[in-house]
């Protein structure tokens, strides 16, 4: 255990240094991913590595550095730092209980499945993959691994928040973005002063609606400039309504298998995991249904729906790659 913690700390220090080097090479005013005290940051990163429930946070931090590294103008520096990023990911994956190591698969069904799916895009279109997922289906892990395999950018809720911050969104607005689901809860708490503040700040729009529209503008803007995988955010319907080519995927798995995975990943007891999954599924559905007027998880709303338990993490990524008929690129 001690050796594992020391390895985590070593990797955390390398991540911190990589972030600084990427920032230096980009020469951008966007800022570093880690701006706090070095020792505190390294300690926090190391903790994320040996505390599995925080794996998604570490993944988001790493992806943010990777996204920035891809913009480095000097080819040699870009290759060097992306190689270091890939090596760090490899060493993290070899750690006991690292993120993405708890698979979700029904072995019997997996042996029966094959796929030969293709999706054609024009040469001028960006490759954009929008992924919706039920909680516990390993959707985030699949999205991250897909972006890594295709060597394109990855965006999830945590990264989106940081992007909005870097675009000088107000801090309280960004925090509200993470709590957007509360808008549809019967337990909302309001006071007159706050209502007037929000009315003035967003020209009469409720805070959550203003955030959604700003987020929608950002997604459409990104879709014209870069290839990426994006998790949730109603990105599929936003791009559809703006006639921007993309692939929309929904990842699900049997409830009992999702419960087992959440118990393993989050160290929860059975009843706690069941309650947590039901709550999270309701939140995802409420948000998606409200802003799109469509039904979350309904097959006709997506290009492809996947039972991740039929394939597992690696095979699901390969299935999506085959669908879009694009093998991983060998150049950074």
């Amino acid at each position: 255990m001690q050796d594992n913690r020391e390895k985590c700390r070593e990797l955390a220090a390398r991540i911190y240094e990589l972030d600084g080097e990427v920032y230096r090479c980009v020469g951008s005013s966007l800022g570093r991913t880690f701006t706090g005290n070095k020792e505190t940051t390294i300690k926090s990163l190391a903790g994320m590595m040996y505390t599995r429930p925080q794996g998604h946070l570490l993944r988001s931090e790493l992806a943010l550095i990777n996204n920035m590294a891809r913009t480095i103008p000097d080819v040699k520096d870009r290759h060097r730092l992306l190689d270091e990023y890939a090596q760090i990911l490899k060493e993290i994956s070899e750690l006991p209980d690292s993120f993405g190591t708890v698979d979700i698969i029904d072995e019997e069904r997996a042996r029966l499945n094959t796929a030969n799916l293709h999706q054609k895009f024009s040469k001028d279109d960006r490759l954009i993959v929008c992924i919706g997922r039920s909680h516990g289906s390993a959707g985030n892990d699949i999205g991250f691994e897909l972006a890594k395999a295709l060597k394109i950018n990855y965006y999830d809720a945590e990264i989106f928040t940081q992007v909005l911050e870097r675009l000088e969104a107000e801090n309280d607005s960004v925090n509200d973005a993470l709590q957007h689901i509360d808008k549809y809860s019967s337990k909302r708490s309001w006071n007159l002063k706050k209502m007037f503040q929000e009315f003035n700040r967003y020209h009469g729009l409720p805070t959550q609606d203003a955030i959604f529209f700003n987020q929608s503008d950002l997604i459409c803007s990104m879709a014209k400039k870069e290839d990426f995988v994006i998790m949730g955010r109603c990105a599929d319907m936003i791009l559809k309504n703006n006639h921007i080519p993309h692939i929309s995927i929904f990842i699900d798995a049997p409830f009992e298998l999702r419960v087992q995975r959440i118990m393993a990943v989050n160290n929860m007891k059975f009843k706690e995991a069941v309650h947590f999954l039901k709550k999270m599924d309701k939140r995802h559905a409420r948000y998606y249904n409200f802003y799109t007027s469509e039904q979350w998880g309904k097959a006709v709303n997506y290009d492809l729906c996947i039972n991740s338990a039929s394939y597992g993490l690696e095979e699901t990524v390969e299935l999506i790659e085959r669908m879009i008929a694009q093998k991983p690129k060998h150049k950074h």
Side-chain angles (χ1 to χ4, degrees), residues 64 155 158-167 218 222:
L64 194 63
Y155 294 99
E158 286 79 13
I159 296 175
F160 231 91
T161 298
Q162 295 195 44
V163 170
L164 289 171
E165 285 178 338
R166 290 179 174 188
L167 293 175
L218 178 57
M222 288 163 46

Side-chain angles (χ1 to χ4, degrees), residues 106-290:
D106 181 332
E107 298 284 358
E108 185 175 349
R109 289 197 61 182
R111 287 193 294 269
L112 302 175
N113 285 296
T114 58
N116 184 25
L117 303 173
H118 299 277
Q119 176 72 37
K120 300 293 184 182
F121 279 71
S122 78
K123 63 179 181 179
D124 297 323
D125 292 329
R126 293 291 184 176
L127 175 61
I128 303 168
V129 183
C130 305
I131 299 181
R133 76 287 185 203
S134 59
H135 213 78
S137 64
N140 281 77
D141 300 278
I142 290 165
F144 181 77
E145 291 299 322
L146 178 65
K148 186 172 72 171
L150 296 174
K151 298 188 183 301
I152 62 178
N153 289 342
Y154 169 83
Y155 294 99
D156 61 12
E158 286 79 13
I159 296 175
F160 231 91
T161 298
Q162 295 195 44
V163 170
L164 289 171
E165 285 178 338
R166 290 179 174 188
L167 293 175
E168 299 182 340
E170 295 182 44
N171 288 334
D172 57 345
S173 301
V174 172
N175 290 333
D176 285 340
L178 296 179
Q179 303 297 329
H180 51 245
I181 305 302
D182 291 345
K183 173 177 182 177
Y184 319 105
S185 169
S186 59
K187 298 181 180 180
R188 294 182 76 202
S189 60
W190 287 96
N191 59 63
L192 191 59
K193 182 179 179 181
K194 183 175 181 180
M195 290 177 66
F196 277 116
Q197 286 176 337
E198 291 193 350
F199 186 90
N200 292 330
R201 181 182 300 135
Y202 300 115
H203 309 288
L205 280 176
T207 305
Q208 294 87 349
D209 289 349
I211 291 167
F212 178 80
F213 293 131
N214 288 337
Q215 172 183 280
S216 300
D217 289 342
L218 178 57
I219 290 173
C220 291
S221 176
M222 288 163 46
K224 297 174 183 177
K225 302 174 183 177
E226 61 181 280
D227 301 338
F228 58 85
V229 172
I230 182 168
M231 308 301 302
R233 312 287 90 192
C234 299
D236 54 337
M237 285 300 170
I238 290 170
L239 295 175
K240 177 183 177 183
N241 292 337
N242 285 276
H243 310 291
I244 298 175
H246 64 285
I247 295 172
S248 61
I249 298 170
F250 191 83
I251 298 173
D252 200 359
F255 187 77
E256 60 273 16
L257 291 178
R258 293 196 285 133
V259 168
Q260 291 174 19
R261 186 171 192 275
I262 287 298
M263 290 172 65
V265 172
N266 289 1
N267 194 27
M268 288 183 174
K269 294 181 179 179
F270 177 77
K271 288 186 177 180
E272 185 183 9
V274 169
H275 175 74
F276 176 73
L277 278 183
K278 288 182 177 180
K279 180 178 70 173
M280 294 304 297
D281 282 351
K282 286 181 180 178
R283 285 186 171 185
H284 284 307
R286 195 179 297 125
Y287 179 67
Y288 186 91
N289 297 353
F290 181 88

Side-chain angles (χ1 to χ4, degrees), residues 7 166 313-314:
K7 179 63 176 178
R166 290 179 174 188
L313 293 171
E314 184 177 342

Side-chain angles (χ1 to χ4, degrees), residues 4-13 15 39-51 58 95:
N4 187 44
R5 287 182 177 246
E6 290 176 0
K7 179 63 176 178
C8 289
R9 182 173 177 80
E10 174 203 327
L11 287 168
I15 292 169
E39 279 302 311
T40 302
T41 301
I42 290 175
K43 183 178 179 180
S44 176
L45 286 171
M48 288 182 189
M49 274 181 253
Y50 55 74
T51 306
L58 176 63
L95 291 171

Side-chain angles (χ1 to χ4, degrees), residues 22 26 60-72 82 85 147 152-156 159 163 226-229:
V22 167
V26 168
S60 297
E61 302 285 23
L62 288 171
L64 194 63
I65 296 172
N66 178 57
N67 293 353
M68 185 72 72
R70 295 187 188 284
T71 69
I72 294 174
L82 286 174
Y85 169 81
I152 62 178
N153 289 342
Y154 169 83
Y155 294 99
D156 61 12
I159 296 175
V163 170
E226 61 181 280
D227 301 338
F228 58 85
V229 172

